[in-house]
Amino acid sequence: MEENVFAPIVGTYDFLNSFLSFSQDRRWRRLAISLLEPKPGMMILDMGMGTGKIALEIARRNQATTVIGIDPCCQMLQRARNGTSEDVHFIMAQAEDIPFPDAVFDGVITGFTLRNVTNLERALSELTRVVKPGGKVVCLEFVPPSAQGVQRLPYRFYLSFILPFIGGLISRQRNAYTYLSESIIKFLTPDEVKQLMEHSGLCNVRVHRFTMGIVAIYMGVSP
Ligand SMILES: C[S@@+](CC[C@H](N)C(=O)[O-])C[C@H]1O[C@@H](n2cnc3c(N)ncnc32)[C@H](O)[C@@H]1O
């Protein structure tokens, strides 16, 4: 991840996510949560929690579920903390070095963070390490235009020109939204992500694609 790319956009982050995704971001997160199937009594990790949309939704809908969110950006964590009275715990940490022992979480979820970590293989092996046998790892992420069908060109145009322009205009941080576009364009295809998840030790890895295939939810199970 580029140094501090998220810190300057915390104030407009949630609004722009919703605006630039035509309000689909909430639905995508809910789909990921429903695949995770959190239940009361479970301990869930949200890796790269950002402003806490996933962690807070899980805590709100599942009383007595313990949700722990990690993120290296203290401004994001502060924003998440301000947005909740729910039972969510916030820890400043990176996916590549999760400060928990092996097999403590019943489930792990991450939204739009895989393409931002510095070392994806290491991050996936950490997610696999901290989940209990039989627990799920669910990853929500954008799919690059190279893995698209007929809508590849309009999607690429949207990412290359419209998204950085509108994001830059509203946040006044054009670099952050240029980074966002480039990180999606350069990200791995669903087959490559699936292979890395399998390589990290997860079994039965499935890929679900939504909204004309621009978003994927990956789900694997710890053996
Ligand atoms: C696009 S935001 C996604 C936030 C949130 N999960 C959501 O659904 O909106 C990516 C987040 O990943 C965090 N991040 C960047 N590098 C990370 C790393 N190495 N480990 C964990 N989180 C990281 C950023 O600070 C940022 O909050």
Side-chain angles (χ1 to χ4, degrees), residues 1 6 13 17 29 46-51 53-54 70-73 76 93-96 110-113 115-118:
M1 181 186 70
F6 291 98
Y13 177 79
N17 274 350
R29 290 191 190 89
D46 178 8
M47 187 283 281
M49 76 182 306
T51 57
K53 290 289 181 206
I54 290 177
I70 65 167
D71 201 292
C73 176
M76 281 288 196
Q94 301 212 341
E96 293 88 341
T110 181
F112 307 114
T113 297
R115 83 199 125 75
N116 293 296
V117 302
T118 313

Side-chain angles (χ1 to χ4, degrees), residues 176-189:
Y177 282 87
T178 303
Y179 161 78
L180 170 66
S181 298
E182 286 174 356
S183 69
I184 297 172
I185 290 168
K186 290 181 192 156
F187 192 55
L188 305 177
T189 64

Side-chain angles (χ1 to χ4, degrees), residues 77-209:
L77 288 177
Q78 191 60 48
R79 187 80 173 192
R81 199 187 302 266
N82 291 344
T84 182
S85 56
E86 314 290 344
D87 188 17
V88 177
H89 305 269
F90 308 89
I91 297 176
M92 202 192 310
Q94 301 212 341
E96 293 88 341
D97 195 8
I98 298 176
F100 283 92
D102 299 355
V104 285
F105 292 99
D106 297 286
V108 172
I109 188 163
T110 181
F112 307 114
T113 297
L114 290 188
R115 83 199 125 75
N116 293 296
V117 302
T118 313
N119 184 335
L120 182 54
E121 277 185 65
R122 166 101 190 139
L124 287 172
S125 82
E126 278 291 271
L127 297 183
T128 306
R129 177 183 69 75
V130 296
V131 76
K132 290 177 184 171
K136 291 178 185 168
V137 174
V138 174
C139 306
L140 167 64
E141 193 47 274
F142 288 111
V143 172
S146 60
Q148 294 299 113
V150 281
Q151 70 276 22
R152 179 197 305 202
L153 285 178
Y155 181 39
R156 200 181 175 103
F157 181 81
Y158 175 78
L159 288 176
S160 302
F161 300 103
I162 298 175
L163 188 148
F165 176 73
I166 297 177
L169 197 69
I170 294 176
S171 69
R172 302 194 177 276
Q173 299 290 334
R174 175 127 190 172
N175 286 350
Y177 282 87
T178 303
Y179 161 78
L180 170 66
S181 298
E182 286 174 356
S183 69
I184 297 172
I185 290 168
K186 290 181 192 156
F187 192 55
L188 305 177
T189 64
D191 281 348
E192 290 168 331
V193 176
K194 182 172 182 275
Q195 273 173 26
L196 281 185
M197 288 179 74
E198 288 166 346
H199 187 69
S200 79
L202 293 169
C203 304
N204 302 328
V205 179
R206 303 251 189 281
V207 185
H208 305 265
R209 288 176 69 169

